[in-house]
Amino acid sequence: MSKTILVYAETRDGKLRQVALETLGAARLIAGDGDSIRILVAGSNITEAVSALKPYGGEIIYTVEHDDLEHYNPDAYMAAIEAVLGVAKPDAVLFGHTAIGRDLAPLVAASMDAGQISDVTAIENNSGEAVFTRPLYAGKAFEKRVFVNGPWVVTVRPNNIPAAEAVEGVDTSIEDVAFPAPSLRSVIKDVVRKTTGKIDLSEAKIVVSGGRGVKSAEGFKPLEELAELLGGAVGASRGACDAGYCDYALQIGQTGKVVTPEIYIACGISGAIQHLAGMSQSRVIIAINKDPEAPIFKVADYGIVGDLFDIVPLLTQEFRKVLVS
Ligand SMILES: Cc1cc2nc3c(=O)[nH]c(=O)nc-3n(C[C@H](O)[C@H](O)[C@H](O)COP(=O)(O)OP(=O)(O)OC[C@H]3O[C@@H](n4cnc5c(N)ncnc54)[C@H](O)[C@@H]3O)c2cc1C
């Protein structure tokens, strides 16, 4: 029986997030012949995001646009999603495993009386049966899960599933769905951003991360310089955040963000299990630590034993020669 798969395309400040294309990529991996992939975009100013999505296909893009959707608010966004669920009647709904996706997915699963598989890092299509891989025990083990009954709700971890590619000659229709404007229990008056980084940490392809070994807020400067040169983002261990060297928004780990960049450069980070929970799935891990026995070297693909204040500027200098010519 054919399925309708609804992809929640996440936006930020009116722009499509990379994870939206990865979520669409996940839908393509799941979809079989005759299945319909549809996309939902909700927000207060979504014209640019919808235009950016169009070349990637999907049978229908449902749009819900309203001022109440300017800032994320679960009551408002659930009202928007439920309005679309009523029209699309999907068998599966897919989200990115982001702060917003993690918040909405269980609400949608409860609303649809659906099963949920979260934090999916790989999907196989086994003769029509979707098999979802997700990490357990902070990445020490993986499980493969399948749905026995529908409907389904799935969240996919950013930077793991290949993003959907644009489709030639696609004919996607756009359907505006009226926002039911629920009476909100709370509204956001203002958002004060603590990080000014241009690249979203959870989506960055390269992360340069600092730990307590960085020793001060000033000590993060060489890391910021390297990250900027490489087009990456700066992250941190909880040790560095607790010491007040940087904001908790940068914390990676069990109680921070989970990142899976192509390259993770850990500078002055010991490699505690709680930190590894947030970065051990990175494709290539480079550790810089002056202690050759530091546990981070056990997960690192490349290790440099030395003082980060010597090594990081040297790396920046050498990368600059190659990248800026
Ligand atoms: C419930 C719970 C949840 C937690 N959640 C998280 C989490 O989400 N994320 C997280 O990161 N931690 C988390 N922690 C804390 C975790 O256990 C560690 O305490 C923390 O990760 C240590 O941070 P660190 O590696 O920066 O500091 P340290 O363990 O102090 O390591 C500093 C490292 O820097 C090296 N170093 C020092 N100077 C230099 C130098 N000049 N050059 C090179 N290397 C140098 C040292 O050799 C050392 O290995 C959690 C703990 C608990 C109990």
Side-chain angles (χ1 to χ4, degrees):
M1 216 177 68
S2 61
K3 306 186 281 298
T4 297
I5 303 169
L6 183 67
V7 171
Y8 179 81
E10 195 170 321
T11 60
R12 177 174 290 169
D13 299 333
K15 294 194 170 57
L16 198 65
R17 294 190 67 186
Q18 171 66 14
V19 71
L21 295 180
E22 294 169 8
T23 315
L24 183 56
R28 295 238 173 97
L29 292 174
I30 294 168
D33 288 345
D35 288 349
S36 168
I37 297 178
R38 304 178 187 190
I39 305 170
L40 154 58
V41 187
S44 67
N45 178 12
I46 53 175
T47 317
E48 188 183 331
V50 173
S51 315
L53 253 177
K54 265 200 103 178
Y56 293 90
E59 194 181 328
I60 302 170
I61 299 177
Y62 297 105
T63 59
V64 190
E65 197 160 14
H66 195 274
D67 286 349
D68 283 355
L69 299 169
E70 182 184 357
H71 298 300
Y72 176 69
N73 177 324
D75 291 341
Y77 272 72
M78 264 311 284
I81 293 173
E82 279 181 326
V84 172
L85 295 180
V87 184
K89 306 209 183 322
D91 302 286
V93 185
L94 271 55
F95 293 89
H97 194 73
T98 60
I100 288 177
R102 289 197 310 247
D103 203 34
L104 287 173
L107 295 171
V108 170
S111 151
M112 293 172 71
D113 197 15
Q116 183 176 334
I117 299 182
S118 300
D119 201 13
V120 166
T121 54
I123 301 170
E124 292 152 61
N125 193 327
N126 229 342
S127 315
E129 182 183 53
V131 183
F132 300 92
T133 301
R134 58 187 298 270
L136 297 173
Y137 310 122
K140 284 197 170 313
F142 291 87
E143 68 175 11
K144 291 191 174 208
R145 230 173 224 265
V146 295
F147 285 104
V148 181
N149 290 310
W152 316 341
V153 171
V154 174
T155 67
V156 296
R157 188 185 280 201
N159 271 343
N160 281 265
I161 309 281
E165 292 191 0
V167 191
E168 290 273 317
V170 63
D171 184 22
T172 305
S173 63
I174 300 192
E175 273 187 32
D176 297 330
V177 177
F179 181 62
S183 60
L184 301 175
R185 285 172 282 198
S186 65
V187 292
I188 295 169
K189 285 294 211 192
D190 195 11
V191 175
V192 182
R193 288 180 201 258
K194 285 194 162 181
T195 48
T196 52
K198 293 175 209 98
I199 297 178
D200 187 327
L201 183 54
S202 48
E203 291 188 348
K205 299 283 177 219
I206 299 180
V207 173
V208 182
S209 217
R212 224 187 315 252
V214 169
K215 294 190 174 69
S216 64
E218 191 65 20
F220 264 90
K221 290 267 158 61
L223 279 62
E224 285 160 9
E225 215 177 304
L226 178 59
E228 189 172 348
L229 177 71
L230 298 177
V234 173
S237 71
R238 178 155 146 192
C241 301
D242 283 346
Y245 305 159
C246 59
D247 195 87
Y248 280 102
L250 301 190
Q251 185 182 320
I252 290 167
Q254 186 182 313
T255 43
K257 293 196 168 74
V258 175
V259 297
T260 27
E262 281 164 18
I263 304 176
Y264 188 87
I265 308 178
C267 311
I269 294 178
S270 59
I273 181 78
Q274 296 89 353
H275 186 75
L276 301 187
M279 47 63 73
S280 61
Q281 301 306 309
S282 305
R283 209 151 295 160
V284 174
I285 298 172
I286 302 169
I288 304 167
N289 198 303
K290 62 183 186 185
D291 174 8
E293 302 298 326
I296 190 79
F297 288 126
K298 294 208 173 84
V299 297
D301 299 283
Y302 300 96
I304 304 173
V305 178
D307 190 320
L308 72 92
F309 294 105
D310 297 330
I311 311 278
V312 174
L314 270 177
L315 287 176
T316 307
Q317 187 185 309
E318 292 305 312
F319 281 130
R320 184 164 283 129
K321 281 186 201 158
V322 181
L323 297 171
V324 188
S325 51

